[in-house]
Amino acid sequence: FWAYELSKQAISSPEDSDRKTAMKVLLCGGLAGVVTWTSVFPLDVIKTRVQTQAFFEIVVSTPVEEELLLGSGQSAAKGFSRRLGAVEVARRAYRSEGARVFFRGLGVCSVRAFVVNAVQWAVYEWMMRLLKA
């Protein structure tokens, strides 16, 4: 909520027309979605790697799939004797792929987040206005 409210307060004006207000709500909602996803994206990458590591023995059938699921430098042939925790997954990802691994795909996610959150906040504001009437 904070990203949406701060951006809305920064660009809103009491003199705005309904159309201008609606456009600003869409813009602020979209920006809030991008800010939120950017702040949690590295954690989402780690979460996804933690969740998918248990399935590598069943799912991995080609070296390409192995690379995508496990990251570079890791091999299903070596096998894991235990599931790795989030911190260890993050360390291994950073060591083998650098800091960029935590932001790969953020651009596409940001486009989706902008559209989804713009609509979500517009509907929220519309419903709040209807409920107050």
Side-chain angles (χ1 to χ4, degrees):
F1 285 110
W2 67 268
Y4 173 72
E5 286 297 328
L6 285 176
S7 60
K8 191 174 93 170
Q9 287 174 8
I11 68 169
S12 292
S13 170
E15 296 87 38
D16 288 343
S17 66
D18 284 345
R19 180 177 167 81
K20 212 173 192 180
T21 300
M23 295 306 290
K24 288 181 178 182
V25 165
L26 289 169
L27 176 65
C28 293
L31 290 174
V34 172
V35 166
T36 302
W37 266 105
T38 301
S39 68
V40 300
F41 201 77
L43 296 174
D44 191 62
V45 169
I46 295 165
K47 174 212 49 123
T48 301
R49 287 184 176 221
V50 168
Q51 290 175 332
T52 57
Q53 72 176 322
F55 299 106
F56 77 91
E57 293 177 317
I58 299 166
V59 176
V60 174
S61 59
T62 68
V64 174
E65 289 177 350
E66 182 178 309
E67 175 74 20
L68 290 171
L69 286 173
L70 300 175
S72 63
Q74 299 180 27
S75 173
K78 294 177 193 168
F80 290 123
S81 58
R82 62 180 173 83
R83 285 181 51 93
L84 301 175
V87 173
E88 185 60 28
V89 167
R91 276 192 196 122
R92 288 182 180 206
Y94 180 76
R95 267 190 239 129
S96 64
E97 300 170 70
R100 293 188 70 182
V101 69
F102 299 112
F103 298 97
R104 193 176 305 137
L106 180 59
V108 173
C109 181
S110 294
V111 171
R112 179 192 60 84
F114 187 93
V115 172
V116 168
N117 285 276
V119 171
Q120 172 193 326
W121 283 106
V123 170
Y124 170 80
E125 291 289 352
W126 178 61
M127 292 301 295
M128 291 303 289
R129 189 177 285 185
L130 282 175
L131 292 173
K132 287 182 182 177

